[in-house]
């Protein structure tokens, strides 16, 4: 009886230590990538958009493991705040108070299992919004939760 208890204890200990080796999972520590350098990417830094037109947002996304979602945020920059991620700066209009600025926020879930994805999304630019300087923010999040932000300065005429 004592031998079988000892044998059972050794088997339990052996199972515990060997089962841990197979449970190792690699942790994703890399940020996803937003690429707006393709020839058909839009908008890019300092793009000009006309009120009343429909634009087509295009960018390529990639990740080492799996993409999750992206969101777009267009808001005024009439106060010259800054969250641009670009080296080049654009000509800015004088500071002014917004009367009827455009605000656009939209989130999109990327189909499961994608390591690369080309985002294409039509956005209507209303005719009756304030013209001027705007920010176009792209937030890309991978499945692990890492997020990359691309902040572009654009002008709406």
């Amino acid at each position: 009886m004592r031998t079988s208890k000892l044998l059972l204890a050794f088997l339990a200990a052996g199972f515990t230590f060997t089962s841990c080796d197979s449970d190792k999972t690699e942790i994703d520590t890399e940020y996803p990538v937003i690429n707006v350098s393709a020839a058909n990417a839009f908008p890019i830094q300092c793009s000009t958009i006309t009120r009343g037109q429909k634009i087509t947002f295009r960018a390529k996304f990639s990740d080492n493991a799996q993409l999750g979602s992206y969101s777009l945020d267009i808001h005024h920059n009439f106060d010259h705040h800054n969250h641009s991620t670009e080296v080049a700066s654009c000509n800015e209009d004088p500071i002014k108070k917004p009367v009827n600025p455009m605000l656009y926020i939209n989130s999109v879930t990327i189909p499961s299992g994608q390591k690369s994805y080309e985002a294409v999304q039509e956005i209507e630019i209303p005719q009756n919004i304030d013209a001027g300087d705007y920010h176009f923010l792209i937030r890309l999040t991978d499945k692990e939760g890492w997020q990359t932000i691309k902040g572009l300065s654009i002008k709406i005429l």
Side-chain angles (χ1 to χ4, degrees), residues 34 36 42-43 55-61 69-75 83 102-110 117 119-125 135-141 147-152 154:
I34 300 169
V36 292
F42 188 83
I55 65 167
T56 302
F57 162 72
R58 282 185 198 275
K60 289 187 178 181
F61 303 145
S69 64
Y70 72 92
S71 69
L72 303 178
D73 173 347
I74 303 172
H75 62 269
H83 36 159
M102 178 179 179
L103 178 61
Y104 177 85
I105 298 173
N106 187 34
S107 297
V108 175
T109 300
I110 296 172
Y117 183 78
V120 178
Q121 185 175 331
E122 290 189 341
I123 302 170
E124 185 82 37
I125 308 298
H135 283 146
F136 193 105
L137 294 181
I138 308 164
R139 292 184 175 91
L140 175 63
T141 307
Q147 187 178 71
T148 298
I149 298 174
K150 176 78 77 180
L152 303 171
I154 62 171

Side-chain angles (χ1 to χ4, degrees), residues 86-100:
E86 304 304 295
V87 175
S89 60
C90 308
N91 291 332
E92 293 178 318
D93 294 342
I95 292 175
K96 65 180 182 182
K97 288 193 172 218
V99 176
N100 187 27

Side-chain angles (χ1 to χ4, degrees), residues 3-70:
T3 305
S4 61
K5 283 183 179 178
L6 257 168
L7 182 59
L8 189 57
F10 281 119
L11 287 174
F15 177 74
T16 300
F17 291 118
T18 57
S19 65
C20 292
D21 288 337
S22 64
D23 291 342
K24 289 182 181 175
T25 55
E26 289 192 34
I27 297 172
D28 178 14
T29 58
E30 292 186 33
Y31 289 95
V33 176
I34 300 169
N35 183 351
V36 292
S37 63
N40 64 350
F42 188 83
I44 58 174
Q45 179 75 347
C46 304
S47 286
T48 301
I49 298 170
T50 305
R51 291 180 287 178
Q53 77 173 169
K54 188 181 287 185
I55 65 167
T56 302
F57 162 72
R58 282 185 198 275
K60 289 187 178 181
F61 303 145
S62 61
D63 188 61
N64 64 317
Q66 186 176 179
L67 293 166
S69 64
Y70 72 92

